[in-house]
Amino acid sequence: MHKSSDISRRRFLGKAALIGGAPLILRSSLWAAETSPNDQITLGFIGMGTQNRGLLNGFIGRSDTRVLAVCDVDTTRRENAKRIVEEHYGQNSPGGTYKGCAMYRDFRELLAREDIDGVVIATPDHWHALIAIAAAKAKKDIYCEKPMAHTILEGRGMVEAVRSKQRVLQVGSMQRSSAEFRAACELVRNGVIGTVKAADVNVSGPPRLCDLPGEPAEPGLDWSLWLGPAPWRAYNSILSPRGVHKHFPEWRSYREYGGGGVCDWGAHHFDIVQWAFGFDRTGPVEIIAAEKPDAVSGARVRYANGLEVTHQPGNGITFYGDKGKIYVNRGKLSLWLGDKLKTDDPKECEAMLPELLPANAVRLYESSNHLGNWIDCVRSRKAPICDVETGQRTATVCNLVNISYFHHQNLKWNPDNESFVNGTGQTAWLGREYRQPWKL
């Protein structure tokens, strides 16, 4: 494991080697910066769509990080990302010019760079595991967008790679770094609303098999590399809109590439349920299919303690206790004690925690900045707030819910060895086939 001093030493030696062993001379203005360049965490970004542009803007504004490279299969998107980085850093460079950001079409070239400490992955879901595992093997720390894994087997492979290479992986289920969700979980965990046997997770439905027609190929996009391990199909702009766009493309709606709303928003909201009950190292024991074969909501997951969580349409999370109720969503937190609304103001509810929680209350991991928490943990080598095992357990819940929709079956699940039991389910459903030459 490397500490901050290790990063600095490796950075110096790596840069010295690149310039033939000549002494490294830095401007005094850089030494005077809040974090010296030799002590910055260097980053590469993979998949430069809307989500990763947002993450990129979050990291380049930090004095303790430095972006060295960007990667995308689309020429326009990678050139745009390079421009964003160089314009930002150029504001503080001599003459306002800076040309220090490399760009790559193939993520493997970026991972081969020894001067990059960490990578930020925001590709379509079907690429997460293969890139993250390769990054761990290349000794990079990892920020991986949610849902962490496209299949249950992929997620376990990510955990094994990250643990064996002693990497720090943060999953982008960033609601854990928001005060209203932490407060809601502490209220549930400490019994403020009594025994909770039911909860609703409101997110949209499962994905469907891709049936999009082929469109003429466009120059500047490596479509085969975009597909990667997914089955071959002709290009369609709905899956990968050309150029720099501001929306979130619909690849999430198709099973080959994403997990629909169940895995997209579910990786946020099911994650909060897992956190509220301390299930970050376990999972449900039963999945009850929706009543109708073509349903897109109504599936339920049941845990060993009797908690039953129902997937419903909409957006948000509701916990039902025998002494009250909690509703939480982004910027929203409502608490009922008995039949009375105690507060529907998140900040007021947070301020009331000392009087609501018992003296020996369980207090949860506190983070106010998801990106910053990852960087802090890269330095300290401590577990981030949404560690790789946590991400695997949440993604597993989402994937199990989807499996129940895909096959319309009730499932019994052993969270200890992550397998179906009592003759339910099929092992093949835990993974997927890969287009050659890609493999897990």
Side-chain angles (χ1 to χ4, degrees):
M1 294 188 292
H2 62 260
K3 295 184 174 67
S4 178
S5 59
D6 299 323
I7 293 170
S8 299
R9 183 174 182 274
R10 191 176 77 234
R11 180 73 13 71
F12 178 85
L13 294 174
K15 288 183 177 178
L18 288 173
I19 58 176
L24 182 62
I25 301 173
L26 298 172
R27 303 191 324 275
S28 59
S29 60
L30 289 178
W31 282 116
E34 183 180 338
T35 305
S36 72
N38 281 343
D39 203 33
Q40 291 174 318
I41 305 295
T42 53
L43 301 176
F45 287 70
I46 302 172
M48 299 314 304
T50 302
Q51 182 64 21
N52 222 3
R53 288 200 305 275
L55 295 173
L56 176 64
N57 284 321
F59 280 109
I60 60 175
R62 300 180 62 92
S63 64
D64 55 359
T65 61
R66 192 74 166 180
V67 179
L68 298 187
V70 295
C71 175
D72 199 280
V73 296
D74 184 288
T75 304
T76 309
R77 286 197 288 271
R78 65 176 176 264
E79 288 178 345
N80 179 69
K82 174 182 171 70
R83 176 191 59 79
I84 291 171
V85 173
E86 294 186 337
E87 285 185 358
H88 176 84
Y89 291 141
Q91 294 172 4
N92 299 310
S93 68
T97 60
Y98 174 81
K99 300 297 179 187
C101 182
M103 61 180 184
Y104 300 96
R105 175 186 59 85
D106 191 318
F107 70 91
R108 291 168 293 189
E109 296 179 61
L110 185 151
L111 294 180
R113 289 184 55 158
E114 294 185 0
D115 59 343
I116 290 178
D117 298 311
V119 292
V120 182
I121 303 168
T123 61
D125 300 350
H126 73 288
W127 261 120
H128 285 183
L130 298 190
I131 296 175
I133 290 171
K137 290 179 178 178
K139 297 295 185 72
K140 312 300 183 193
D141 294 311
I142 303 157
Y143 185 104
C144 183
E145 261 309 331
K146 56 79 204 165
M148 190 185 84
H150 193 41
T151 73
I152 294 169
L153 288 181
E154 286 183 348
R156 184 48 54 193
M158 292 171 72
V159 174
E160 291 172 357
V162 167
R163 293 288 189 252
S164 68
K165 299 301 180 181
Q166 298 181 304
R167 297 298 91 199
V168 174
L169 187 149
Q170 173 88 297
V171 183
S173 294
M174 48 72 150
Q175 289 180 170
R176 291 201 179 209
S177 293
S178 295
E180 65 270 23
F181 291 100
R182 184 174 63 255
C185 290
E186 289 183 344
L187 291 168
V188 171
R189 184 80 71 93
N190 289 284
V192 173
I193 60 171
T195 301
V196 178
K197 290 296 185 183
D200 289 339
V201 164
N202 298 83
V203 297
S204 55
R208 60 188 184 276
L209 290 170
C210 189
D211 57 356
L212 294 170
E215 296 176 358
E218 296 189 35
L221 172 68
D222 188 332
W223 177 240
S224 181
L225 194 53
W226 188 96
L227 288 171
W232 174 264
R233 69 176 307 108
Y235 169 75
N236 186 286
S237 56
I238 289 176
L239 297 175
S240 181
R242 289 306 315 284
V244 180
H245 50 80
K246 295 183 180 180
H247 66 288
F248 293 98
E250 284 298 308
W251 54 259
R252 291 171 177 81
S253 298
Y254 300 99
R255 283 172 59 173
E256 295 87 341
Y257 322 110
V262 171
C263 283
D264 184 24
W265 271 95
H268 288 305
H269 289 348
F270 280 111
D271 184 63
I272 294 304
V273 173
Q274 291 273 114
W275 197 24
F277 288 89
F279 292 155
D280 287 345
R281 296 297 180 267
T282 186
V285 296
E286 187 176 3
I287 302 89
I288 302 103
E291 290 185 10
K292 297 181 179 180
D294 59 350
V296 294
S297 64
R300 292 170 286 154
V301 295
R302 187 175 293 151
Y303 293 81
N305 70 345
L307 171 69
E308 190 169 286
V309 183
T310 304
H311 167 227
Q312 302 278 21
N315 195 289
I317 312 154
T318 307
F319 298 98
Y320 302 95
D322 57 9
K323 295 181 181 178
K325 180 175 74 171
I326 293 170
Y327 170 80
V328 64
N329 207 341
R330 295 184 185 180
K332 300 176 182 179
L333 176 56
S334 301
L335 169 65
W336 287 263
L337 294 179
D339 294 330
K340 284 187 155 189
L341 177 65
K342 182 78 172 177
T343 179
D344 61 358
D345 183 321
K347 292 191 180 302
E348 182 181 36
C349 190
E350 292 158 32
M352 293 167 59
L353 283 179
E355 65 181 77
L356 292 170
L357 298 178
N360 61 343
V362 175
R363 304 309 294 262
L364 300 178
Y365 192 138
E366 186 169 346
S367 162
S368 60
N369 185 300
H370 211 60
L371 308 187
N373 175 252
W374 178 53
I375 294 299
D376 290 344
C377 292
V378 167
R379 292 189 182 281
S380 70
R381 312 314 292 169
K382 294 180 180 178
I385 193 167
C386 202
D387 175 54
V388 63
E389 180 71 33
T390 299
Q392 161 66 351
R393 296 299 182 164
T394 292
T396 294
V397 175
C398 299
N399 280 313
L400 287 171
V401 169
N402 269 341
I403 288 169
S404 78
Y405 286 122
F406 297 159
H407 303 286
H408 195 243
Q409 286 192 19
N410 294 333
L411 305 166
K412 299 285 188 179
W413 181 250
N414 183 337
D416 294 332
N417 61 18
E418 295 177 323
S419 65
F420 296 115
V421 295
N422 296 343
T424 66
Q426 296 181 23
T427 302
W429 298 350
L430 304 181
R432 60 179 171 131
E433 294 184 2
Y434 296 90
R435 184 168 67 99
Q436 295 300 315
W438 305 102
K439 61 183 179 179
L440 184 62

